[in-house]
Amino acid sequence: MHEWALVDSVVKAAEAVARESSLKTVGEIVLVLGELQSIDRQAVDTIFAELKARAAEPVRNARLVVESEPTVFKCRACGKTFAEKDCAALDPVEKEAVHFLPEAARVYIKCPACKSPDFKLEKGRGIYVREIRGEQ
Amino acid sequence: MNLDPRLYAVEERFCGVKRVIAVSGWKGGVGKSVVSCVLALQLAAKGRKTGLLDLDFTGASDHLVLGAEPAFPKETDGVEPHLLAHGLKFMSSAFFLGGKAVPMRGGEVVDALRELIAITRWGELDYLIVDMPPGIGDATLEFSRLVRKTEFLAVVTPSVLSASLAAKTVALFEEWGITLAGVVENLAPQDGGASSLAPALARVAYDPALESALGSPEALLKTAFAKDLSAAADRLV
C-alpha cells in the first residue's frame, strides 16, 4: 500500500541519520502525520514493525512515536486562515486523490471566504520526522 | 530536526533504472510531450523495459497522448505505475487530479514531485523517460538534484526563440556537469538547416496526421512523426 513507501522512507531516513551521527542505536523516531493526507496510523505501525526488523542494526529496536498534526490553510488571496472542516467535505474519491498526492487538495478545496484555490498549506500536509533520538 | 523522509527513499526507487532521460525543451510548445510519449512507446516496442513519468504537474497531457485511463494506480508496497501498450509503465499526476486544472506554486511543485518519486515503484527498467515542464524552474532543479543519473534530451524547433534558449540552457547544464543525451529537432522544415546543437538524434518534420493519432499508442507508432523520431530511439539503444 501507499503507506509502505512512506514508512520505508522513514526507516531509510533513520538509517542515514544513525550513520551520519554515528549512533549505535536509535531509540525513538518521532513521526508527524499531517491530517490532510489521511495516513492509516495502524498501517504505519504494522509496516514499521515489519521494516525495522530488516533495517540496519542501529534501527532494529527503534520505537516509533506517531503524532498527528491538524491541517491549517492560509489563503494567499484574502489572508483567511482555515481548516479542512471549514470547507465542503471531500467525497471518497477526492479524499483518496489527496491521500496519494496532497497537492490534489488544490483541485477540491477552496478558501471558504473567497473561493480561491491559491492557499498555503501551513501545517498538516503529509509526513515528516520531527526527531530521531539515539545513543552514540 | 524536521526531516523530509521521502528524500531518503529516492535513490532506492531509481536504483533499478539504467537510464533516466528527461525530455525538455525549456521553451513551451516545442512538442516535448508527444516526443516523450512516442519515444517511450518506441523503446518499449523494441523490447526495452521502459517507463514514462509525466512531471508537468500543471499541464500534464501524456495520458491524453497515450489514451491512458486517469484511474488511481494500484498500491503494493508503494504505488505501481499503470501498464500500457508494449509493457510501457506510466505514472502521472493526472491520475489524482480528476481531469481538472491544478494551480501550484514552486514549493508545491517540489512537494508533489518528491511525493510522486518517493512512492512510485518502477522496478527494473532500461529507460525511464521523464516529460519535464517547460523552463528550468523548480521541477527541473529538484528532479536533477534528487536523481543524479538524469540525462537531458532537448527538443528544439527551428525558431530562434527555441534554439537560443536551448543553446543557453545546454551551456549551463554543461557547466553543472549534467549530461545531454541528445537533441531532437521538431517541426523541422524539409529543406532547412539542422540545429547546431549536438548530438543530433532525430529531425522530425511537421506531421499533419499526428493530431488524429493522439490517444492511440498503435496509431501513434504508425505516424510519419514516429518514423522520423525512430532515429532517436535507434541511437539511444
Side-chain angles (χ1 to χ4, degrees), chain B residues 10 54 137 210:
Chain B
V10 172
D54 190 345
L210 181 62

Side-chain angles (χ1 to χ4, degrees), chain B residues 25-39:
Chain B
W26 304 299
K27 198 82 183 155
V30 293
K32 61 183 179 45
S33 292
V34 186
V35 167
S36 299
C37 292
V38 174
L39 184 62

Side-chain angles (χ1 to χ4, degrees), chain A residues 5 12 14-15 22 25 38 56-57 61 63-64 70-71 73 78 95 111 121 123:
Chain A
K12 285 184 166 58
E15 288 174 331
S22 306
T25 57
S38 309
E57 185 67 36
N61 293 308
R63 194 167 73 93
L64 186 68
T71 308
F73 304 96
C78 73
K95 198 93 183 153
C111 169
L121 248 166
K123 282 185 180 173

Side-chain angles (χ1 to χ4, degrees), chain A residues 8 24 68 88 90 96 106:
Chain A
D8 176 58
K24 282 185 187 157
S68 188
L90 302 185
E96 185 73 351
R106 287 161 204 291

Side-chain angles (χ1 to χ4, degrees), chain A residues 1-6 8-10 12-13 16-17 20 31 37 76 92-94 96-104 106-108 117-121 125 127-132, chain B residues 1-9 12-13 57 72-79 93 95-105 107-109 111-113 115-116 118-121:
Chain A
M1 63 197 306
H2 177 207
E3 276 82 353
W4 188 96
L6 296 175
D8 176 58
S9 73
V10 172
K12 285 184 166 58
V17 169
E20 289 157 12
L31 176 67
Q37 200 168 15
R76 290 188 176 109
V93 172
E94 293 166 349
E96 185 73 351
V98 174
H99 168 65
F100 276 115
L101 193 68
E103 281 60 44
R106 287 161 204 291
V107 174
Y108 307 114
D118 185 13
F119 49 78
K120 187 176 180 198
L121 248 166
R125 176 201 172 275
I127 68 164
Y128 66 93
V129 174
R130 193 194 297 285
E131 200 163 2
I132 294 175
Chain B
M1 171 180 264
N2 290 4
L3 276 183
D4 185 341
R6 298 170 301 175
L7 302 179
Y8 294 86
E12 190 270 342
R13 300 291 183 261
F57 290 101
F72 291 143
K74 277 197 287 187
E75 296 181 74
T76 45
D77 293 354
V79 171
S93 60
F95 298 152
F96 313 108
L97 302 179
K100 294 179 181 166
V102 57
M104 287 165 71
R105 294 181 183 236
E108 290 138 17
V109 168
D111 239 331
L113 184 151
E115 193 81 23
L116 209 55
I119 63 174
T120 305
R121 307 294 302 274

Side-chain angles (χ1 to χ4, degrees), chain B residues 152-209:
Chain B
F152 275 78
L153 187 154
V155 181
V156 300
T157 71
S159 166
V160 68
L161 302 181
S162 162
S164 65
L165 180 59
K168 282 189 285 190
T169 309
V170 167
L172 179 65
F173 279 17
E174 277 173 6
E175 281 177 34
W176 280 347
I178 295 174
T179 304
L180 183 67
V183 179
V184 169
E185 190 174 4
N186 193 21
L187 303 170
Q190 300 287 353
D191 52 357
S195 163
S196 59
L197 288 171
L201 297 179
R203 284 190 92 225
V204 182
Y206 171 65
D207 177 4

